[in-house]
Amino acid sequence: MAGAVLALLIAYVIMSWLANAPRRQVAYVLMILILSAVLLVGIVMFVTGRLTTALPLLLSALAGIWRQRWVVRWIARNLLGGGPGSGAAGPATVSTPWLDMILDRRSGALSGRVKQGAFAGRDLGDLSLDDLIALYEDLTRAHGESARLLETFLDREHGAAWRQRTAAGPGAGPGAGAAGAGAGGGGAMTRAEALSILGLPEDADADEVRHAHRRLIRKLHPDQGGSSYLAAKINQAKDYLLAGRH
């Protein structure tokens, strides 16, 4: 009975992964399994003395591994947890001159840190609602894009109630309060910014870009109660990184 439950659990995990993983990752896993099986059979044949069969299998497996050197990279990134220079994905980060906003890719939790002004160095989660509103009102005058980013945090953490105490108004939707406030909009996106927004390494390929975008947009899409501002930034980052790719 325990064995059957374990088998069902393993099957569920595998099916969930296959449903959400990019096609390229699925292809990687299948290729790893095929090469491993061929190599294992070749080793068994070699140990049992059937050299005429073993040698072609071993050579084929080794040649396949040599041609598909991405196997090592994929294992390092996805199975060994990455590390410095491995290209492991990190949290999604949107930065402005005033704020760093971080989205945990797994939980969807939103956090942030103030970079300048009266609350410089403080985490948004440590500020009271009064402090956050004071910061928001400062940002509507100083930097409209930062104000829109802070709206995202306020909407997620304090709902619509905070708008009743600000110029955003009780009926304003996400992003409306600072729509025309301040100078210094986002401007042209850079590759570094796009990678940071999607939480991707420098060597991310097109499938990884699409997968990161799909996971993030599910958590932040306005239709799901998310942020129109962050959703627009995530879409912009994906479009930038996929421009010119096929």
Side-chain angles (χ1 to χ4, degrees), residues 19-33:
N20 293 297
R23 290 190 299 274
R24 187 163 183 170
Q25 282 196 9
V26 175
Y28 284 178
V29 171
L30 291 177
M31 182 63 71
I32 291 170
L33 291 175

Side-chain angles (χ1 to χ4, degrees), residues 10-232:
I10 292 173
Y12 173 77
V13 171
I14 292 174
M15 293 301 294
S16 297
W17 182 83
L18 289 173
N20 293 297
R23 290 190 299 274
R24 187 163 183 170
Q25 282 196 9
V26 175
Y28 284 178
V29 171
L30 291 177
M31 182 63 71
I32 291 170
L33 291 175
I34 291 171
L35 291 174
S36 299
V38 173
L39 186 62
L40 181 61
V41 172
I43 291 172
V44 171
M45 293 287 188
F46 183 84
V47 170
T48 56
R50 288 173 279 184
L51 300 183
T52 55
T53 303
L55 289 177
L57 289 175
L58 289 172
L59 291 174
S60 297
L62 293 174
I65 292 172
W66 176 254
R67 287 195 301 269
Q68 307 293 340
R69 289 185 289 274
W70 45 257
V71 170
V72 176
R73 171 184 161 195
W74 188 92
I75 291 174
R77 179 182 298 174
N78 294 276
L79 301 183
L80 301 182
S86 70
T93 304
V94 178
S95 295
T96 72
W98 283 77
L99 298 172
D100 282 330
M101 197 72 72
I102 300 171
L103 175 71
D104 186 278
R105 291 155 58 93
R106 293 181 180 274
S107 68
L110 198 62
S111 61
R113 190 171 183 83
V114 185
K115 297 163 69 173
Q116 59 175 299
F119 300 104
R122 300 280 301 277
D123 289 334
L124 295 179
D126 293 335
L127 298 179
S128 67
L129 180 56
D130 287 337
D131 289 339
L132 289 170
I133 289 175
L135 175 61
Y136 174 78
E137 291 175 345
D138 286 343
L139 291 180
T140 59
R141 293 187 291 269
H143 195 259
E145 185 183 11
S146 297
R148 289 191 291 274
L149 188 56
L150 183 57
E151 283 185 15
T152 298
F153 181 84
L154 284 164
D155 285 333
R156 290 284 286 262
E157 296 298 317
H158 297 281
W162 73 272
R163 293 182 179 275
Q164 298 174 0
R165 299 169 55 182
T166 70
M189 182 170 287
T190 65
R191 177 175 174 80
E193 183 184 2
L195 291 170
S196 178
I197 289 171
L198 294 180
L200 291 171
E202 177 63 35
D203 59 351
D205 59 34
D207 264 353
E208 289 169 315
V209 170
R210 295 187 184 96
H211 181 54
H213 171 267
R214 187 163 54 247
R215 290 189 63 180
L216 289 172
I217 208 69
R218 284 175 186 163
K219 300 178 186 300
L220 289 173
H221 196 279
D223 292 345
Q224 305 300 323
S227 160
S228 58
Y229 173 77
L230 281 184

